[in-house]
Amino acid sequence: MVQVVAKTGNEAMAEAMRQINPDVVAAYPITPATEIVMIFSQFVADGLVNTQYVPVESEHSAMSATIAASAAGARAMTGTSSQGLALMYELLPIASALRLPIVMPEVNRALSGPINIHNDHSDTFAARDFGWIQIFSENSQEAYDNMLQAVRIAEHPKVKLPTMVTTDGFIISHCLEKIEVFEDDVVKNYVGKFPAYTNLLDLKNPVTLGALDLQNYYFEHRRQTAEAMKSAKEIILEVGKDFGKKFGREYGFFEEYKMDDAEMAIVCLGSIAGSAKSVVDEYREKGVKVGLMKIRVYRPFPAEEIASVLERMKAVAVVEKADGLAAKGGPLFDEIRSALYDKKKKPSVIDFIVGLGGREVTHKHLNEIFDELKDLAATGIVKELIQYKGVR
Amino acid sequence: MAQDLGWKELPEGDTLKAGTAAQFHTGDWRSKKPVKDEKTCINCLFCYIYCPDSAVKVQDGKMIGIDYNYCKGCGICESVCPVKPVKAIKMVSER
Amino acid sequence: MATIKELSLQEDRLTGGHRMCPGCGAPVIVRQVLMAVKEPVVIVSATGCLEVSTTIFPYSAWKVPFLHSAFENSAATMSGVEAAYTSLKKQGKIKDEIRFIAFGGDGGTYDIGFQSLSGAMERGHDMLYVCYDNQAYMNTSIQRSGATPRGASTTTEPAGKVKQGKVMTRKDLTECMVAHNIPYAAQSVCGDWRDLTKKVEKAMSIRGPKFINVLQPCQLGWGYPMDKTVELGKTAVDTCFWPLYEVENGKYTISYKPKDKKPLVDFLKPQSRFRHLFKPENAQLLSELQADVDKKWALLQKKAECFGA
């Protein structure tokens, strides 16, 4: 039932796409997500999928065609990164407003400018308000698992929202890892048939999609999308649990690493969690009661759930690869602090902005962060609320 | 009609049934209305094919009247009417 | 080709009750295009006059399936619809024969949607793209576009004390589409129903990407009485400002050669957007505009001679 293979993040995501076998893929190459498109094109060329592949002339057209295909009753996918995602921004909220369950791999890469091809989370974070579910992956295995779950989540009748599954550019996208891949039939059964909630090609029930809403309807439609995002929380958990039952790896909103008796915590997303976990181990050996919370689901934001874990901490350090340029720390910091506001016991929360544009986050950086966290937990004194770590 | 439905009742996803604009009447936009002369009309159907508002009614190849629910009174029908010397469609004041 | 009576037998696929201006040419074009299609049809439209005025929630004037997503992407959007259709049909999930027509105004086609259109035409999707070309951004009150003719006054390139409206000559989009080597590209007009319906019929008989550029007089943006839309369309053709022609697999055919080519002023004079051109000091500009029309008409005839039947 399970095959163990060596796959990069991009290969793992392309493999998931082959097994999902979407009706339409419309995509445009962009570093570091290009390989997903290349590998998938080869699947098409070799007749391994039923997919109608549309090699569009831009990401804007990639998302336009994907939206249209989904609206036409097809299971439709695309994939992108950074500037490509930015070129799609206009269309992302249209996909969610039309309630189209598109699944899209997104390889996190720093937004220009200056132009840079390496990893941070500025691209995906900037797309947080568009009604897309956002799921982060720590490694190739998670990328593969998340892709499959994303189909179930997005297409659930209570959700019907587009979903992006992210990996970190180069760090995951190009890093070869050992992963477990399921048999094609297993995936086929797992994702099931595409439920075409919207079907432009249904000639017997002709519809108008994407009509103009004025003051009297826009609010109601937005309210519906807001509710769908709320409902998605329950479904994400349900799907994550079911995935665990079926395949042995359970997923939730976040992963707690040595959090049970922790007095302080690091909160992060994506690949950085790997190195941070090993630093947690080191500090644990030294008797420091530190744990780690790896956020998997950034949208919908599981504020309540995060807060009920973090309220037990004396101190929290948010470590994030993005800066909102808002003069008040990164986006994750903002949201974590806001989530804790209603709790009676609130830990001190500090922010570390790291790794922008692929800057390496070294062991030394993490040690410094952990030391500072330890001090904060002990003294309760915030020396500096927001810090840039690793910048000259 | 879905008008004024709350978010819980409204169909999801900015979806509309086709052709619902038929229930919206634009006749009150008119200041002049086209009137057809039954006797001189030659049923060329130019008024039908050039009407922007799908307001010229045709049955079995014959022009049978104007749908004043939709007609905005632009006067294209009169303008394209080829009947001479007096056109078979005249625009007359609504007042 | 179908007679007007035959065309009238099919139920209107665009209802009344839409909010286009009185005398607007765009719904005339849409109605005539849809009359000429016998098969089931699915429509995509770019954001613009046509789209906003025909789909004000909860009222849609489209009786056939219709999709709008954004301004610059109607061709890419149709690519996705057509790809879904092709995929589902291959898999046996759809049986119907469906035709695909995308509409865009000149802003959504010549300008912001040009890349999307070019890509879709190059990829060879089976669709007809119809540009309703009213030569400016009319929906947002008459801003200049790449389709605005030289000398026309628009709100973003108005005539003033030192400038006489648009400085540059308009983009020749039909020829751009010819250069894409698509099986069918044509120019038609709101004002010749026979020409337009015939071209749509022909386009529907061809598989692959098709493009028809339809000149659409706009009473608001061009500034003329609202009952003169059809007449002005005819004048555009009779002056050779807007020749009717088609290019089928590279073969040029002029659809209509006026017996007496009218002077360009016959087209310009009734429109307030050209009013300033009739000041004595603009006589030179006016003659340059006429020369430009003559040159292009001569070139088109040459093309029809060289690459004709």
Side-chain angles (χ1 to χ4, degrees):
Chain A
M1 174 176 159
V2 169
Q3 212 190 337
V4 178
V5 291
K7 296 252 181 241
T8 65
N10 281 344
E11 288 168 354
M13 285 178 131
E15 179 67 359
M17 283 172 74
R18 182 187 65 76
Q19 295 184 311
I20 293 164
N21 197 5
D23 300 310
V24 174
V25 167
Y28 187 78
I30 182 166
T31 304
T34 306
E35 275 180 332
I36 299 176
V37 181
M38 286 161 55
I39 297 165
F40 195 82
S41 303
Q42 193 64 50
F43 293 152
V44 174
D46 292 337
L48 300 177
V49 283
N50 293 326
T51 311
Q52 191 67 24
Y53 177 65
V54 190
V56 283
E57 82 298 332
S58 73
E59 287 88 354
H60 195 280
S61 287
M63 186 45 68
S64 299
T66 306
I67 286 172
S70 183
R75 183 178 267 151
M77 298 175 80
T78 180
T80 194
S81 177
S82 184
Q83 300 309 105
L85 184 67
L87 194 54
M88 292 177 178
Y89 284 166
E90 184 201 16
L91 300 155
L92 297 180
I94 296 171
S96 51
L98 290 170
R99 305 294 298 280
L100 303 172
I102 294 163
V103 171
M104 170 167 74
E106 144 64 21
V107 181
N108 295 307
R109 161 184 151 182
L111 274 182
S112 297
I115 185 169
N116 171 285
I117 55 165
H118 292 283
N119 168 244
D120 69 31
H121 294 156
S122 51
D123 53 350
T124 300
F125 276 5
R128 66 187 181 162
D129 295 338
F130 296 147
W132 279 63
I133 292 170
Q134 297 184 323
I135 304 176
F136 283 71
S137 323
E138 183 189 326
N139 49 45
S140 295
Q141 183 70 63
E142 285 192 7
Y144 176 79
D145 293 352
N146 284 338
M147 283 290 288
L148 303 188
Q149 290 175 67
V151 176
R152 291 281 291 263
I153 295 164
E155 294 176 5
H156 193 284
K158 281 191 183 163
V159 180
K160 293 186 269 178
L161 283 178
T163 302
M164 59 180 88
V165 174
T166 81
T167 63
D168 286 351
F170 293 108
I171 301 168
I172 305 176
S173 69
H174 286 63
C175 179
L176 201 63
E177 288 180 281
K178 197 173 76 176
I179 69 164
E180 285 184 6
V181 170
F182 312 128
E183 279 172 10
D184 289 359
D185 276 351
V186 172
V187 174
K188 192 179 167 186
N189 287 332
Y190 178 74
V191 296
K193 268 194 177 167
F194 180 67
Y197 301 110
T198 306
N199 190 354
L200 186 70
L201 300 181
D202 180 354
L203 301 173
K204 288 193 189 80
N205 302 291
V207 288
T208 288
L209 299 172
L212 170 70
D213 270 7
L214 296 175
Q215 298 93 323
N216 56 346
Y217 278 101
Y218 181 87
F219 206 165
E220 281 68 29
H221 280 131
R222 290 295 280 196
R223 180 67 188 84
Q224 290 180 335
T225 311
E227 191 65 16
M229 192 55 93
K230 257 165 87 179
S231 312
K233 286 181 66 179
E234 175 199 338
I235 307 305
I236 290 167
L237 288 182
E238 203 178 288
V239 169
K241 202 166 243 172
D242 173 68
F243 193 86
K245 257 192 224 149
K246 286 195 167 85
F247 306 115
R249 286 184 296 276
E250 192 178 316
Y251 288 86
F253 293 136
F254 43 79
E255 181 192 331
E256 291 174 64
Y257 185 73
K258 303 199 173 169
M259 285 293 282
D260 285 347
D261 62 339
E263 292 172 356
M264 63 199 91
I266 296 280
V267 179
C268 62
L269 303 112
S271 60
I272 200 173
S275 357
K277 280 176 192 168
S278 72
V279 181
V280 167
D281 292 345
E282 283 171 30
Y283 279 73
R284 279 280 175 178
E285 274 172 31
K286 288 189 244 166
V288 182
K289 288 193 169 173
V290 62
L292 177 140
M293 175 185 272
K294 180 187 79 186
I295 310 282
R296 171 180 176 247
V297 178
Y298 183 58
R299 282 294 179 273
F301 190 69
E304 191 50 37
E305 293 79 359
I306 288 173
S308 51
V309 173
L310 294 184
E311 69 172 335
R312 304 196 307 259
M313 304 298 124
K314 288 181 183 155
V316 172
V318 174
V319 182
E320 57 186 324
K321 287 184 170 180
D323 182 0
L325 305 181
K328 61 179 177 111
L332 185 61
F333 174 63
D334 236 12
E335 302 197 48
I336 296 281
R337 297 233 303 175
S338 163
L340 286 162
Y341 185 82
D342 291 324
K343 293 293 173 189
K344 277 206 185 79
K345 252 187 84 218
K346 290 188 254 295
S348 299
V349 186
I350 51 174
D351 190 24
F352 290 94
I353 291 163
V354 301
L356 300 192
R359 177 66 51 87
E360 195 185 350
V361 183
T362 63
H363 203 95
K364 184 169 161 278
H365 295 145
L366 289 170
N367 274 332
E368 286 166 13
I369 291 169
F370 275 67
D371 286 342
E372 200 149 330
L373 178 66
K374 203 174 69 174
D375 282 353
L376 181 62
T379 63
I381 298 165
V382 174
K383 282 187 224 150
E384 206 177 340
L385 191 64
I386 298 148
Q387 297 180 48
Y388 294 87
K389 186 61 78 184
V391 70
R392 288 186 301 278
Chain B
M1 182 44 43
Q3 198 157 22
D4 296 333
L5 287 182
W7 67 270
K8 286 179 187 164
E9 294 83 36
L10 200 61
E12 286 177 326
D14 193 5
T15 301
L16 264 181
K17 272 194 186 160
T20 49
Q23 296 162 50
F24 190 89
H25 293 165
T26 50
D28 57 0
W29 293 23
R30 270 193 320 272
S31 57
K32 281 180 175 178
K33 71 172 182 181
V35 176
K36 177 196 169 195
D37 184 341
E38 297 287 350
K39 280 176 260 159
T40 56
C41 173
I42 55 167
N43 289 305
C44 66
L45 304 188
F46 287 177
C47 53
Y48 161 79
I49 208 150
Y50 286 117
C51 176
D53 294 300
S54 314
V56 176
K57 296 190 276 191
V58 174
Q59 205 173 50
D60 306 325
K62 298 243 172 354
M63 195 287 213
I64 56 163
I66 310 280
D67 192 332
Y68 293 109
N69 285 329
Y70 305 128
C71 170
K72 296 169 186 156
C74 69
I76 287 180
C77 50
E78 181 196 53
S79 157
V80 298
C81 179
V83 177
K84 281 174 186 166
V86 180
K87 288 178 184 278
I89 294 183
K90 283 301 286 178
M91 296 302 289
V92 300
S93 173
E94 283 280 358
R95 283 187 209 138
Chain C
M1 72 157 282
T3 63
I4 203 163
K5 283 199 168 63
E6 285 161 355
L7 293 172
S8 76
L9 295 177
Q10 185 165 268
E11 191 198 20
D12 241 310
R13 285 161 153 178
L14 187 78
T15 72
H18 58 70
R19 261 65 79 78
M20 304 295 279
C21 299
C24 177
V28 178
I29 294 168
V30 170
R31 288 186 60 235
Q32 292 180 1
V33 166
L34 295 184
M35 277 175 205
V37 185
K38 284 162 207 78
E39 299 83 358
V41 64
V42 170
I43 303 296
V44 161
S45 174
T47 312
C49 289
L50 177 67
E51 170 269 330
V52 300
S53 306
T54 55
T55 67
I56 301 179
F57 201 92
Y59 300 105
S60 169
W62 299 87
K63 291 171 97 169
V64 289
F66 174 94
L67 170 65
H68 157 258
S69 94
F71 190 9
E72 68 280 57
N73 67 353
S74 72
T77 299
M78 195 47 109
S79 304
V81 174
E82 191 260 2
Y85 171 72
T86 307
S87 176
L88 298 173
K89 198 155 193 209
K90 256 191 215 159
Q91 297 176 59
K93 293 175 182 169
I94 290 182
K95 302 273 184 287
D96 309 281
E97 238 345 92
I98 304 178
R99 297 286 176 259
F100 300 97
I101 301 179
F103 287 101
D106 50 291
T109 308
Y110 283 68
D111 289 353
I112 198 167
F114 186 59
Q115 172 186 316
S116 160
L117 173 65
S118 175
M121 294 292 114
E122 181 266 334
R123 289 190 300 272
H125 297 278
D126 185 23
M127 69 163 88
L128 167 63
Y129 191 104
V130 177
C131 175
Y132 63 100
D133 178 358
N134 49 38
Q135 306 200 314
Y137 294 82
M138 299 311 185
N139 186 43
T140 46
S141 66
I142 321 155
Q143 292 81 25
R144 64 93 85 186
S145 78
T148 304
R150 185 179 170 205
S153 183
T154 55
T155 54
T156 48
E157 203 169 347
K161 287 190 181 116
V162 297
K163 227 178 127 180
Q164 306 308 320
K166 191 174 173 193
V167 174
M168 302 311 294
T169 308
R170 68 180 180 85
K171 190 189 286 184
D172 193 338
L173 184 65
T174 310
E175 288 303 303
C176 294
M177 288 301 105
V178 173
H180 280 66
N181 296 313
I182 54 177
Y184 189 73
Q187 227 168 244
S188 188
V189 71
C190 171
D192 188 338
W193 69 269
R194 201 184 298 269
D195 182 76
L196 180 55
T197 56
K198 198 172 147 189
K199 281 173 178 161
V200 173
E201 279 178 12
K202 183 177 268 185
M204 286 301 109
S205 72
I206 298 166
R207 301 279 63 80
K210 287 87 59 177
F211 175 83
I212 305 181
N213 202 2
V214 190
L215 184 73
Q216 179 237 308
C218 166
Q219 51 105 340
L220 184 77
W222 294 13
Y224 64 85
M226 61 186 171
D227 61 333
K228 297 287 181 259
T229 297
V230 171
E231 199 179 306
L232 208 50
K234 284 187 206 295
T235 314
V237 174
D238 284 332
T239 55
C240 295
F241 171 83
W242 191 265
L244 305 182
Y245 71 104
E246 60 187 4
V247 184
E248 204 180 338
N249 294 314
K251 197 186 94 182
Y252 278 73
T253 309
I254 297 175
S255 318
Y256 169 75
K257 283 188 192 174
K259 275 192 210 96
D260 303 303
K261 180 166 162 283
K262 289 183 179 166
L264 180 65
V265 291
D266 286 10
F267 175 65
L268 305 182
K269 199 99 197 218
Q271 304 180 48
S272 68
R273 64 175 174 157
F274 296 118
R275 188 185 292 139
H276 55 286
L277 298 181
F278 294 91
K279 289 185 203 158
E281 61 269 32
N282 284 332
Q284 173 62 24
L285 176 54
L286 208 50
S287 70
E288 282 174 27
L289 295 177
Q290 178 66 64
D292 189 48
V293 165
D294 295 344
K295 196 176 101 189
K296 281 184 179 143
W297 175 237
L299 181 63
L300 180 63
Q301 292 183 88
K302 208 81 184 159
K303 281 180 183 170
E305 256 173 54
C306 297
F307 311 113

